Amino acid sequence: MNAGFLRRLGAYLIDVIIIMIVTSLFSRYLPNNNKINTLNNTNANLLSDYMEILQEGDEDKINDFSVLITDYNYELTKLSLYTNLSTIVLYLLYFVGFQGYNNGQTVGKRLLKIEVVDDDDNNPNFKQLLIRGLILYPIVLSLLDTILIHMISKSTYITCSNVIAYIQYAIYFICFVTVLFTGKGLHDRVSGTRVIKFGTISEEADSKVSKWKKTAEKEKETRVYRVNHTSGKRKE
C-alpha cells in the first residue's frame, strides 16, 4: 500500500530539518563563518528597518532599502560557497548513501514508518535513489546557483538566481501535486520507485500465501467431492 501524502510530507520535513541542523553545526568550522554571521545580523536589522519603511510608504526609501538588501544577500551568498557545497554533499550522503544502506529509509521515513522501494517491491539501488534525489531535493539547481555567482556579473546572477528559484518551486509543486493526487510523484515515476508503508510487502506476501492456501484447499475439497461422487455413481 502506497504511503499517504501527509505521512510523506512529514518525513520530508523531518529530514530537511535534520539537514539544516547538521549544516548549521558544521558551518561553524567553515571559512568565512564570522563574516557570514556579521552579514546575517546586518541583513536582519535591514529587514526590520525595511518593514517600518513599508508602513511609512516612502517609495524612494523602499527602493533604496530593496537595493541594499539585494546587495547584502548577494555578498552573503558569495561568501557561503563552502556552506552551500557542504550542504549539497550532505544531501547526497543522506538521501542517497544513508537511505541506500538503510534499505530505503531515512530518519524521517523510519519515524513515520514508510520506506522507498522500486516498482518490483525490492530495495532501491543507488542509481534510483540518486535520480530521485536530484529531482526532489535542491541539489542540481543549488550547485548551478553556487557556480554562477562566481562566474557572471551581479546583475546577471540576480536574474538567473530568480529563474532558478522559480524552477525549483515548480519542481516542488509538480512533485507534491503528483504525490497528492496519484500517490506517486514525478521523482518516483522517473526513478522507478514508490513509497509504501513499512511492512506492506510482507503483509502482501502473507496475504498472497493465505489466498493460495485457501485456493489449494478448495481445489482439494472439490477433487475429493468429485472422486466420492463419481465412486458412488459407479457403485450404483
Side-chain angles (χ1 to χ4, degrees):
M1 181 183 293
N2 288 339
F5 174 78
L6 292 179
R7 189 172 293 196
R8 292 184 64 169
L9 179 61
Y12 177 87
L13 293 176
I14 291 171
D15 290 330
V16 170
I17 290 171
I18 290 173
I19 294 288
M20 291 173 62
I21 292 173
V22 174
T23 301
S24 177
L25 294 174
F26 185 66
S27 64
R28 297 179 182 180
Y29 306 99
L30 294 175
N32 299 327
N33 182 57
N34 292 332
K35 292 181 180 179
I36 290 172
N37 287 335
T38 301
L39 277 176
N40 274 325
N41 293 331
T42 304
N43 210 14
N45 294 329
L46 282 174
L47 286 173
S48 177
D49 295 338
Y50 182 67
M51 296 302 295
E52 294 179 3
I53 292 172
L54 282 177
Q55 294 176 356
E56 295 175 3
D58 190 330
E59 291 187 4
D60 291 333
K61 287 185 179 181
I62 290 173
N63 291 333
D64 290 340
F65 264 82
S66 296
V67 172
L68 192 58
I69 291 171
T70 300
D71 289 340
Y72 269 96
N73 284 331
Y74 174 79
E75 293 300 326
L76 182 61
T77 304
K78 203 165 187 177
L79 284 172
S80 301
L81 171 65
Y82 298 105
T83 302
N84 293 337
L85 290 177
S86 63
T87 302
I88 292 168
V89 171
L90 188 57
Y91 266 100
L92 289 171
L93 290 175
Y94 185 74
F95 290 108
V96 180
F98 175 73
Q99 190 167 217
Y101 279 113
N102 203 35
N103 299 322
Q105 283 190 309
T106 58
V107 174
K109 289 183 177 66
R110 180 173 285 274
L111 288 174
L112 294 184
K113 297 181 180 179
I114 59 177
E115 61 182 330
V116 179
V117 296
D118 65 17
D119 287 335
D120 296 321
D121 290 337
N122 298 316
N123 290 330
N125 56 48
F126 287 104
K127 180 181 177 181
Q128 289 174 310
L129 290 175
L130 178 61
I131 294 172
R132 191 174 188 277
L134 292 178
I135 296 172
L136 183 58
Y137 304 105
I139 297 173
V140 175
L141 294 179
S142 293
L143 182 60
L144 178 62
D145 187 89
T146 302
I147 293 172
L148 288 177
I149 197 171
H150 295 279
M151 294 182 62
I152 58 180
S153 65
K154 181 170 73 173
S155 58
T156 306
Y157 165 76
I158 291 172
T159 302
C160 292
S161 181
N162 289 331
V163 172
I164 289 172
Y166 290 136
I167 293 173
Q168 188 66 67
Y169 294 145
I171 292 173
Y172 284 148
F173 179 77
I174 293 171
C175 287
F176 284 113
V177 166
T178 49
V179 169
L180 180 61
F181 289 101
T182 69
K184 194 170 185 180
L186 172 68
H187 49 297
D188 293 316
R189 296 176 186 278
V190 175
S191 62
T193 60
R194 66 190 185 110
V195 180
I196 62 173
K197 292 182 180 179
F198 184 73
T200 298
I201 294 175
S202 59
E203 289 176 2
E204 289 178 351
D206 292 341
S207 178
K208 288 180 181 179
V209 171
S210 178
K211 288 181 180 178
W212 178 82
K213 286 182 177 179
K214 289 180 180 179
T215 302
E217 288 176 357
K218 285 183 178 179
E219 290 178 352
K220 183 178 179 181
E221 290 175 359
T222 301
R223 287 197 299 269
V224 170
Y225 172 79
R226 287 176 178 173
V227 169
N228 292 337
H229 188 67
T230 305
S231 301
K233 281 186 175 182
R234 287 178 180 176
K235 286 181 181 180
E236 290 176 1

